[in-house]
Amino acid sequence: MAIVQVAVAAPLAEVFDYLLPSQEADCALGQRVLVPFGRSRRVGMIVARKERSSIAPERLKAIECCLDREPLLGAEDLALIRWAADYYRCPPGEAIFSALPARLRRPVPSAPAPSDDAVPFEPAPSPTLNAEQQAAIAAVHEAQGFQCFLLDGVTGSGKTEVYIRLISAALERGRQVLVLVPEIGLTPQLAERFAQRLDTERVVLHSGLTERERERGWQRAARGQARLILGTRSAIFTPLPDLGLVIVDEEHDVSLKQQDGFRYSARDLAVRRAQIRDCPVLLGSATPSLETLRNAERGRYRHLHLRRRAGGAEPPRFLVVDVRSQHLITGLSHALLTRMTTVIEAGNQVLLFLNRRGFAPVLTCHDCGWISVCLHCDARMTLHRDRGLLICHHCGDQRTLPVHCPECESPDLRPLGQGTERVEDSLRQRFPGIPLARIDRDSTRRKGDLERLLAAAREGAYPLLLGTQMLAKGHHLPGVTLVGILDLDHGLYGSDFRATERMAQLLIQVAGRAGRAEQPGTVMLQTRHPDHPLLIRLLRQGYGAFADAALAERAEAALPPFSFQALVRADSRVAQRALDFLREARARVLALDAGPVQVWGPAPASMERRAGRFRAQLLLQCAQRAPLHALIDRLLPSLRALSNTRTVRWSLDIDPQESL
Ligand SMILES: Nc1ncnc2c1ncn2[C@@H]1O[C@H](COP(=O)(O)OP(=O)(O)OP(=O)(O)O)[C@@H](O)[C@H]1O
Ligand SMILES: [Zn+2]
């Protein structure tokens, strides 16, 4: 009997050998099987065939049955997932089964191939490419096999147009194309643009679909029926037999990194996938991550520029509003309000950006000083007046809005600061009769809300747009000529070393919504730190100059991308336990002789208690990747042993994007 290696759907570091009974002899790589496992049965996937096993033949168990008639994953798909599982230290079975549509994680047979639906196609006219767009396209066309490109194009420079041309050419060559975007909210707009221009079978894959829809799309992609696949990060694992081009839009966005369970970077895996496939990959952004810029600088990625806005639109003009010692009206300066009036009277649109939802970030008692703290987190509960609730944005806990102070019974409770709900309130009073759309997670809770609001916003239905980053990213809103940024200051002095990078990206992305059509745009940035050197550089010289300076700072401090990191996070219900666990982990690292790997911490998280658990982290860092990863391999067994005896949860994050 043949021997196969099976990855079982469970958090186990190993894969297991099984016998393949003769009635299942043609069961192959990438097919799911049902196997006896301990006293139960589990679903698994065949990941290799073997000549012999190190386990004595009489002790080998046989698989019970094969669940699929054809492989669900091809050899390359498996290679990618297993590479990712190794690199990110995720158990192979967990990685493989989290890459499958949810239903196929259970012991059910896979469905037959879904049929195609033909859609009538009326191509929309395509613009004449400018010289920079042409050069970018030509560069990618010249690629022989694998090559990674950075498409670094200012907002509104026509990156999407470049994608469309490259996709079209790849489709004509008979290839499939995978396009990744960081957020669901960006899929409808892009899908719509693709639908107008590309006559091909498309699927969209994201977490907002039902299990059925997702499985169907996945199957059509896997069987080569769908030729263009547009999806959020987990779509990186979709099997694509004819893959010929990978595109990652907004490659700088943290949402491309999975932050729990199988913690992978879809962007980095896109590059790896293209390498395995030997095809080109294009990373696009107006604000590339410092990691990607560094790779371009080192010549590993080819840097393509689109320096001008397409179709003759002007870059937006920045005005800094120094709000120190100014009287603000619910967070808005007089200068901003005045200009808003002018823009609205001229029949254009204003977009206001405030990255804080709810009515106010805290409720206080004016008599005794009580504040609305969360019982489970080291955080304040946000006042949501519309819903009559205090909500903790960290653990989700809700309380009905108190009428009297819970401490002193005073009725004088006051909201402090403002969120989008409060700004909306104030604007409706100040601009009566002017249609306003607030776009944030609260105002778009039902399916289709966001799409509807954005479509109406694009049509110019709302002279006033107000929103969080949901509204800021990637949307083309041609009527917007004024963008007001109410408060980004926390990003200038954040505790995470990436805080300024994120602030700069968000600022440029939000600003990029202004003046994308005929009318020029203005961006008013309210700040209490108008003299901050990085801010000045960003506004006067642009993102590229900012990134150069930020990279120089990172080099100086030996931080990523000039070093590599891994973060061990731990949490426990009892204070100190997580820290104690990490102290021991640190001792183990030192006992292993860490060599060039530096060990920082452990330190409590900046918000230590969250959802009733105390959190801490231990950082490992090294100028080279190899010694760090070698150390981790030696460390993991002892971490697993350590945690067995404790009530501590822990995880390992390779190339972490966020500290706690
Ligand atoms: N060569 C061109 N000539 C005229 N118009 C163009 C050209 N290329 C793109 N456009 C138009 O310019 C606008 C902006 O282009 P697009 O949305 O592709 O930019 P982008 O770089 O992807 O934007 P962002 O990253 O800011 O979302 C679109 O309306 C697009 O149709
Ligand atoms: Zn909480």
Side-chain angles (χ1 to χ4, degrees):
M1 270 195 279
I3 297 168
V4 288
Q5 226 173 29
V6 174
V8 174
L12 297 160
E14 313 95 79
V15 290
F16 301 90
D17 290 350
Y18 283 91
L19 291 169
L20 200 58
S22 46
Q23 73 273 17
E24 300 286 9
D26 48 3
C27 192
L29 201 76
Q31 272 169 281
R32 291 172 311 141
V33 289
L34 199 61
V35 293
F37 193 79
R39 273 187 231 143
S40 62
R41 305 146 94 201
R42 291 287 175 102
V43 187
M45 178 165 283
I46 299 182
V47 295
R49 273 187 176 257
K50 293 176 89 181
E51 288 301 314
R52 58 184 73 82
S53 173
S54 55
I55 299 182
E58 64 277 11
R59 294 190 49 216
L60 274 181
K61 292 181 181 163
I63 69 160
E64 283 184 16
C65 65
C66 189
L67 293 165
D68 305 311
R69 281 211 219 122
E70 282 166 47
L72 287 180
L73 299 173
E76 272 183 25
D77 309 314
L78 263 176
L80 176 76
I81 300 172
R82 295 206 69 191
W83 185 88
D86 276 354
Y87 182 82
Y88 294 106
R89 269 66 177 187
C90 176
E94 201 177 310
I96 290 169
F97 284 88
S98 68
L100 295 181
R103 199 181 64 92
L104 300 180
R105 295 170 199 165
R106 302 191 287 271
V108 292
S110 46
S115 60
D116 286 345
D117 10 65
V119 264
F121 181 71
E122 251 330 295
S126 41
T128 312
L129 298 172
N130 62 37
E132 288 181 320
Q133 286 172 317
Q134 282 174 21
I137 291 165
V140 181
H141 281 162
E142 278 161 25
Q144 306 282 330
F146 169 71
Q147 198 176 342
C148 183
F149 297 89
L150 163 59
L151 183 62
D152 179 353
V154 300
T155 54
S157 59
K159 292 184 288 297
T160 313
E161 188 60 36
V162 171
Y163 303 157
I164 290 172
R165 302 295 173 107
L166 291 172
I167 295 168
S168 164
L171 294 173
E172 267 170 40
R173 290 196 312 274
R175 298 310 189 91
Q176 286 175 297
V177 180
L178 173 63
V179 180
L180 295 180
V181 290
E183 280 182 37
I184 299 183
L186 293 175
T187 54
Q189 183 184 220
L190 210 50
E192 173 65 25
R193 277 180 81 174
F194 289 165
Q196 286 169 358
R197 299 282 300 283
L198 299 161
D199 184 11
T200 192
E201 283 284 313
R202 292 174 309 270
V203 291
V204 179
L205 294 172
H206 56 64
S207 57
L209 304 176
T210 63
E211 251 184 49
R212 279 190 97 84
E213 288 171 329
R214 207 161 161 172
E215 182 178 347
R216 192 180 131 82
W218 189 92
Q219 292 279 19
R220 290 178 58 222
R223 292 169 205 254
Q225 293 165 312
R227 308 306 294 176
L228 174 56
I229 293 80
L230 169 63
T232 47
R233 63 178 178 252
S234 63
I236 185 62
F237 297 114
T238 318
L240 298 165
D242 303 321
L243 181 65
L245 173 67
V246 184
I247 294 173
V248 183
D249 193 22
E250 313 291 355
E251 69 82 33
H252 63 278
D253 200 301
V254 258
S255 304
L256 288 165
K257 174 92 197 267
Q258 168 93 14
Q259 301 288 8
D260 51 36
F262 184 11
R263 294 175 171 75
Y264 60 89
S265 156
R267 177 203 53 214
D268 295 350
L269 285 181
V271 176
R272 183 69 197 138
R273 181 160 193 181
Q275 201 175 32
I276 293 173
R277 183 69 201 181
D278 199 27
C279 75
V281 51
L282 185 69
L283 310 179
S285 178
T287 53
S289 63
L290 297 187
E291 274 83 359
T292 296
L293 284 170
R294 175 71 184 145
N295 277 323
E297 205 173 79
R298 292 176 62 199
R300 301 177 70 196
Y301 298 173
R302 180 150 172 213
H303 200 157
L304 308 170
H305 293 276
L306 302 180
R307 293 190 168 84
R308 268 172 296 282
R309 284 190 153 180
E314 298 279 321
R317 191 164 60 103
F318 283 98
L319 294 176
V320 174
V321 184
D322 181 354
V323 293
R324 283 174 299 189
S325 72
Q326 272 205 34
H327 175 66
L328 300 180
I329 301 146
T330 41
L332 278 75
S333 59
H334 193 69
L336 178 56
L337 284 166
T338 310
R339 194 173 278 259
M340 284 168 65
T341 309
T342 319
V343 168
I344 294 168
E345 278 170 4
N348 293 318
Q349 281 173 295
V350 179
L351 184 157
L352 294 180
F353 173 75
L354 177 62
N355 219 3
R356 202 185 295 125
R357 63 196 174 87
F359 189 81
V362 59
L363 183 69
T364 63
C365 170
H366 195 61
D367 286 326
C368 77
W370 170 85
I371 54 174
S372 56
V373 290
C374 174
L375 293 175
H376 318 286
C377 307
D378 295 330
R380 288 152 177 199
M381 294 186 96
T382 301
L383 167 61
H384 286 255
R385 214 183 56 178
D386 284 358
R387 295 164 66 190
L389 291 173
L390 289 172
I391 303 177
C392 173
H393 287 184
H394 302 283
C395 70
D397 193 27
Q398 305 187 347
R399 263 187 276 165
T400 49
L401 207 55
V403 184
H404 297 282
C405 173
E407 295 280 333
C408 74
E409 312 242 311
S410 157
D412 194 1
L413 294 176
R414 300 186 185 182
L416 265 194
Q418 49 268 320
T420 46
E421 226 179 276
R422 192 175 199 177
V423 175
E424 174 185 2
D425 221 55
S426 156
L427 290 174
R428 288 202 190 276
Q429 285 171 33
R430 203 168 177 93
F431 298 95
I434 304 286
L436 176 153
R438 168 162 68 88
I439 299 184
D440 57 27
R441 210 139 45 87
D442 300 312
S443 70
T444 57
R445 287 195 295 165
R446 279 165 316 179
K447 199 173 167 170
D449 280 348
L450 178 63
E451 281 163 53
R452 212 165 341 97
L453 281 171
L454 282 172
R458 265 198 301 278
E459 300 295 312
Y462 303 104
L464 278 168
L465 296 167
L466 163 68
T468 56
Q469 56 183 334
M470 207 175 216
L471 175 61
K473 286 180 179 176
H475 299 294
H476 187 60
L477 301 162
V480 171
T481 60
L482 174 64
V483 165
I485 300 175
L486 302 196
D487 181 12
L488 264 184
D489 282 347
H490 51 276
L492 287 172
Y493 296 97
S495 59
D496 192 311
F497 73 89
R498 286 190 174 86
T500 43
E501 177 187 355
R502 305 256 190 266
M503 185 277 306
Q505 288 163 344
L506 196 50
L507 193 155
I508 297 296
Q509 295 289 344
V510 180
R513 303 312 113 207
R516 290 168 69 96
E518 300 79 38
Q519 306 245 29
T522 303
V523 181
M524 293 184 88
L525 173 70
Q526 300 190 153
T527 177
R528 294 193 152 75
H529 305 282
D531 307 319
H532 192 289
L534 280 176
L535 186 63
I536 292 179
R537 199 178 179 110
L538 178 65
L539 299 184
R540 294 210 185 128
Q541 298 172 51
Y543 184 81
F546 160 85
D548 287 344
L551 272 171
E553 278 186 7
R554 297 269 185 97
E556 182 80 17
L559 285 167
F562 298 90
S563 61
F564 298 89
Q565 294 184 334
L567 198 58
V568 187
R569 298 192 179 91
D571 61 65
S572 63
R573 288 218 165 269
V574 182
Q576 295 299 320
R577 285 247 172 103
L579 266 176
D580 289 344
F581 168 77
L582 292 176
R583 277 194 198 104
E584 272 197 59
R586 180 193 166 92
R588 304 274 166 125
V589 173
L590 298 178
L592 282 172
D593 179 16
V597 180
Q598 293 173 306
V599 191
W600 302 98
S606 57
M607 187 181 92
E608 186 175 11
R609 200 170 48 110
R610 178 182 176 156
R613 301 188 73 96
F614 292 84
R615 309 176 308 151
Q617 59 194 19
L618 180 73
L619 179 67
L620 307 176
Q621 183 178 305
C622 186
Q624 286 90 35
R625 206 192 294 264
L628 174 66
H629 281 234
L631 176 78
I632 288 169
D633 285 333
R634 292 193 293 144
L635 178 65
L636 271 175
S638 60
L639 280 186
R640 291 197 185 106
L642 253 182
S643 66
N644 274 342
T645 57
R646 287 164 206 250
T647 50
V648 171
R649 264 194 335 213
W650 65 279
S651 64
L652 175 68
D653 192 354
I654 306 288
D655 305 331
Q657 290 293 308
E658 279 169 52
S659 54
L660 288 176

